[in-house]
Amino acid sequence: DFDSRKKRKVAEIYQALNSDPIDVATLRRMAISEGGLLTDEIRCKVWPKLLSVNTDDLPPLPGKELREDNKDYQQVLLDVRRSLRRFPPGMPDDQREGLQEELIDIILHVLKRNPQLHYYQGYHDIVVTFLLVVGDRLATALVEKLSTHHLRDFMDPTMDNTKHILNYLMPIIDQVNPEVHDFMQSAEVGTIFALSWLITWFGHVLSDFRHVVRLYDFFLACHPLMPIYFAAVIVLHRKQEVLDCECDMASVHHLLSQIPQDLPYEALISKAGDLFVQFPPSELAREAAQQQAERTAASTFKDFELASVQQRPDTVLRQRFRERPRGEERTKSILTKPRTNRFVKLAVMGLTVALGAAALAVVKSALEWAPKFELQIFP
């Protein structure tokens, strides 16, 4: 039953934590597998290992002098003041206000120590999750490591790398369900609806904190592009809603930007892991680059520039004017696009799920992506 499985998992997590050296691969598997890391107490112990942060050498708490003459202070202050719903309902005002002050200091501290990083609105949605789970001092160290690794592309002075990551969304959908892909292409909806999902790791759009931290377990254990795979499986999960929608940009964008709160998270996490194994980023890179070159909503128009200027991840340009060059060649290319390889891979996927190989491969990719993490030995 669930209780006995939970007890076994807790025991396995602590065994991995107590091994010498620490068994990071097992911790990653535990974070990915059903239920994730289970409790915040365990997350306080495991999240630092997943990010290779030595808890015996944490930086001192940032001081209030960070706020003086800081170019980001006013924007961070505004964003944090608007973050009321990210705190547990019923929390006393004085406790919440104290946490908000800590949130501001953590963000400014990371930015000051890493001048190559640029603040973006939505960053505070990620930082507050760490603050609520592990406290201010450990959160500062974890967020700094995360910002220079997983979140690095979002913190460039331009949104070019963020756009590139979003360009993986449609190729993933195309591999699994060409009908949904072609419908979305016909609607010219682009990928801007998933911007706030990606840059906040869904923290901005999910109301239940339990679901947010479960996803953070998953993302911390995986390759940095896993959030875009999870975005794709949400769209695929809603495929019938999409296909039943009016085939125009406004209708499809409105549908997809309203993310359901009752998603089957464990099933979607499993599916995202499977898709990552079957269609790794290396195989999708060429099509993602082509997305950038084509006349899509992401590249032709100023959706991203507008979002960047306004610094609101949930703000999008609702109305656009564009030519619609849709000749016979475009129609023919859709109809004749080879699909054989996809169906073979989907058949193989069923085997990998049954054998449990998908989770292992996801873990392996995460470890390969961050070899420097693995070389660090914790005392």
Side-chain angles (χ1 to χ4, degrees):
D1 62 354
F2 175 76
D3 286 340
S4 61
R5 281 186 286 128
K6 182 177 178 180
K7 287 179 181 178
R8 284 197 301 272
K9 186 169 192 178
V10 169
E12 192 168 354
I13 290 171
Y14 277 100
Q15 182 179 355
L17 283 169
N18 294 326
S19 65
D20 187 15
I22 290 169
D23 187 352
V24 179
T26 292
L27 294 178
R28 291 186 186 279
R29 282 205 309 277
M30 296 296 100
I32 292 168
S33 62
E34 184 180 1
L37 296 174
L38 302 172
T39 69
D40 285 352
E41 180 182 357
I42 292 176
R43 291 183 178 101
C44 287
K45 300 177 184 298
V46 174
W47 281 4
K49 310 312 177 192
L50 298 181
L51 286 173
S52 193
V53 168
N54 188 347
T55 55
D56 292 331
D57 187 27
L58 295 177
L61 288 174
K64 300 299 181 184
E65 69 277 358
L66 283 172
R67 305 185 183 200
E68 298 174 6
D69 300 322
N70 189 299
K71 64 182 178 63
D72 296 304
Y73 173 61
Q74 288 302 323
Q75 184 62 56
V76 173
L77 179 63
L78 289 172
D79 292 346
V80 170
R81 283 178 175 172
R82 285 197 295 256
S83 65
L84 297 183
R85 70 182 188 87
R86 292 304 315 281
F87 294 88
M91 175 180 283
D93 288 346
D94 56 345
Q95 183 181 356
R96 173 185 50 75
E97 289 167 2
L99 287 170
Q100 287 179 305
E101 293 298 311
E102 293 173 3
L103 179 57
I104 293 170
D105 290 338
I106 292 171
I107 293 171
L108 296 180
H109 177 76
V110 171
L111 294 173
K112 182 174 183 179
R113 281 171 51 91
N114 300 273
Q116 77 278 14
L117 302 178
H118 296 262
Y119 178 76
Y120 65 89
Q121 188 170 21
Y123 182 69
H124 70 289
D125 284 301
I126 289 182
V127 180
V128 72
T129 302
F130 284 88
L131 174 61
L132 291 172
V133 172
V134 305
D136 56 351
R137 194 172 179 205
L138 182 52
T140 302
L142 297 182
V143 167
E144 181 168 11
K145 180 59 73 73
L146 193 73
S147 300
T148 54
H149 291 81
H150 290 68
L151 305 179
R152 181 64 185 85
D153 288 332
F154 308 147
M155 304 191 76
D156 278 344
T158 71
M159 297 189 75
D160 290 345
N161 284 338
T162 303
K163 286 192 289 185
H164 179 67
I165 294 172
L166 277 170
N167 284 337
Y168 280 84
L169 181 66
M170 295 303 290
I172 297 168
I173 293 170
D174 188 29
Q175 291 288 350
V176 180
N177 194 315
E179 184 181 10
V180 171
H181 169 271
D182 294 345
F183 180 90
M184 292 175 66
Q185 290 288 74
S186 296
E188 301 178 341
V189 69
T191 55
I192 195 72
F193 66 86
L195 175 61
S196 64
W197 304 358
L198 178 67
I199 65 175
T200 70
W201 278 12
F202 297 83
H204 183 73
V205 293
L206 297 181
S207 57
D208 192 325
F209 192 70
R210 294 173 303 164
H211 298 151
V212 174
V213 294
R214 173 64 187 101
L215 287 180
Y216 278 42
D217 292 342
F218 179 46
F219 296 152
L220 286 170
C222 293
H223 189 283
L225 287 182
M226 189 58 79
I228 203 67
Y229 282 80
F230 192 78
V233 299
I234 290 178
V235 175
L236 292 164
H237 174 69
R238 305 181 69 192
K239 59 186 177 184
Q240 199 55 55
E241 291 179 79
V242 173
L243 295 173
D244 289 343
C245 194
E246 290 292 327
C247 190
D248 63 75
M249 182 269 183
S251 300
V252 180
H253 176 89
H254 178 74
L255 171 72
L256 291 175
S257 60
Q258 305 298 313
I259 191 169
Q261 298 296 313
D262 59 346
L263 293 168
Y265 292 94
E266 293 300 336
L268 296 183
I269 285 171
S270 177
K271 180 73 170 177
D274 293 339
L275 292 185
F276 183 91
V277 173
Q278 299 304 318
F279 313 112
S282 58
E283 289 193 13
L284 301 175
R286 178 176 295 182
E287 194 168 349
Q290 185 179 351
Q291 292 275 331
Q292 181 75 5
E294 289 179 351
R295 291 178 59 84
T296 61
S299 60
T300 306
F301 295 93
K302 301 297 181 182
D303 302 75
F304 285 96
E305 285 75 10
L306 180 67
S308 180
V309 169
Q310 295 185 347
Q311 287 289 289
R312 292 294 302 273
D314 52 349
T315 299
V316 297
L317 190 59
R318 291 280 196 261
Q319 200 168 13
R320 303 183 318 235
F321 300 94
R322 60 170 291 180
E323 298 175 3
R324 299 192 176 189
R326 293 193 173 276
E328 292 181 2
E329 290 185 6
R330 164 62 181 157
T331 305
K332 183 178 179 182
S333 69
I334 292 174
L335 294 176
T336 60
K337 199 171 187 178
R339 308 292 189 190
T340 309
N341 191 38
R342 174 189 303 111
F343 295 128
V344 171
K345 288 195 169 187
L346 289 174
V348 174
M349 185 189 304
L351 295 176
T352 63
V353 174
L355 297 173
L360 291 173
V362 170
V363 167
K364 186 172 183 291
S365 73
L367 297 178
E368 289 173 347
W369 172 77
K372 293 179 181 178
F373 289 0
E374 283 298 284
L375 292 175
Q376 296 187 25
I377 306 299
F378 296 99

